[in-house]
Amino acid sequence: RPAQRDPRAVELDRDRDGQEGDAEHEEGLEDVLEALALRIGGHEEVELREEDDEEAAAGLPSGEFEIPLVIQDRSFDAANQLVYVNNHMQVMGGFLGDRILVNGKLDHSLALSASAYRLRLVNGSNSRIFKLAWSDGTPMQLIGTDGGLIDKPARKPYIALAPGERADVIVDLSSRPVGYEMQLLSLSFSAFQMGMGMGMGRGMMGGMGAGSALPLGQEFPVMRVRVARRGSANFRMPARLSTPGFHRIE
């Protein structure tokens, strides 16, 4: 009698032969993550670009210097299958995975030049809130949110992103030497305090992530950035990014 498959598991790796062994499992996981990356936006290069006259006038980093980053938490079983819900508490309180993926990849890293980059961050998780900050204390240079460009750049010690939220940030590496490394972290926080700030009640936040190996509010690395080559210091942050529009309601 064939073994029954866990109905919670999502099979993305249909070509593997199922052989056991560390090398096979590692390669199988890479296949799963590659397939997952293809599902985010339908292709490996995730497109999150919007442009208008204000975008063009701001002279923000673009092309190879504009990088979309979809951050997700996911869980995998011993057969490298994507598992959505691990236990009954997550059905009630919200799913939290124990592995962090960026654009569908574990331990994501970027090898960049010593230049300014525009990072387009998206929280693609189901329930997890991220409190994003640079490991070396560099302020987060916020230039845009879900509604597009904000009126002027804002320097913040961290940026909180709830599921489905977006943030555009500038990271200027022009003063960093080749070989410099830093991490994008999700800092620790009180799940209740963060939830109240985002309009969630005590009961909702208290039940989120029960039974997860990576609880809500625990600090962890999201990805790594390395300065791999020389760049340019031509970018200047504009003093104003956009003009807020107001509409009179008659």
Side-chain angles (χ1 to χ4, degrees):
R1 180 181 179 181
Q4 292 184 344
R5 298 186 58 81
D6 189 335
R8 302 170 301 173
V10 179
E11 176 63 71
L12 297 179
D13 179 19
R14 301 187 184 280
D15 297 327
R16 301 295 301 168
D17 57 13
Q19 295 178 351
E20 296 184 353
D22 293 340
E24 286 80 0
H25 277 265
E26 182 176 353
E27 185 178 354
L29 181 57
E30 289 301 318
D31 290 344
V32 170
L33 298 183
E34 180 179 356
L36 180 60
L38 293 174
R39 289 192 173 193
I40 303 174
H43 45 78
E44 292 187 8
E45 295 297 326
V46 183
E47 291 290 343
L48 299 170
R49 302 193 74 250
E50 300 172 359
E51 187 163 331
D52 54 24
D53 293 340
E54 288 183 324
E55 287 262 350
L60 299 170
S62 60
E64 65 178 294
F65 301 101
E66 182 179 13
I67 304 175
L69 298 169
V70 180
I71 307 171
Q72 299 173 298
D73 60 337
R74 293 291 180 256
S75 292
F76 299 90
D77 64 14
N80 295 330
Q81 297 176 69
L82 189 64
V83 178
Y84 175 55
V85 176
N86 290 320
N87 53 61
H88 177 71
M89 291 300 296
Q90 288 194 356
V91 174
M92 301 298 296
F95 169 78
L96 290 180
D98 55 9
R99 310 295 296 275
I100 302 301
L101 283 67
V102 177
N103 291 353
K105 298 179 181 180
L106 287 170
D107 302 320
H108 191 58
S109 64
L110 294 174
L112 305 177
S113 67
S115 305
Y117 286 82
R118 179 180 185 177
L119 305 182
R120 312 202 102 185
L121 304 169
V122 180
N123 183 348
S125 301
N126 295 82
S127 301
R128 186 176 297 278
I129 299 168
F130 296 104
K131 184 180 179 180
L132 301 174
W134 294 113
S135 60
D136 64 354
T138 298
M140 299 289 282
Q141 294 270 10
L142 181 68
I143 62 168
T145 61
D146 299 325
L149 293 177
I150 57 179
D151 59 343
K152 58 184 179 180
R155 291 165 59 92
K156 297 180 175 292
Y158 66 86
I159 293 175
L161 281 186
E165 287 188 328
R166 296 168 52 173
D168 280 12
V169 300
I170 297 291
V171 56
D172 191 348
L173 303 173
S174 59
S175 63
R176 306 298 204 278
V178 173
Y180 185 85
E181 292 189 3
M182 62 183 186
Q183 289 183 315
L184 181 63
L185 304 175
S186 183
L187 301 178
S188 62
F189 61 87
S190 164
F192 171 67
Q193 291 177 352
M194 187 71 75
M196 291 301 292
M198 294 185 171
M200 300 179 184
R202 181 187 297 269
M204 180 182 295
M205 295 302 296
M208 287 177 61
S212 173
L214 189 60
L216 186 67
Q218 178 174 309
E219 180 172 321
F220 54 82
V222 175
M223 56 172 284
R224 181 169 57 93
V225 171
R226 178 172 59 89
V227 179
R229 54 193 180 276
R230 294 179 181 177
S232 65
N234 297 330
F235 175 72
R236 296 292 181 271
M237 182 75 78
R240 180 161 292 277
L241 297 165
S242 68
T243 301
F246 299 95
H247 301 277
R248 181 185 299 275
I249 299 177
E250 300 295 343

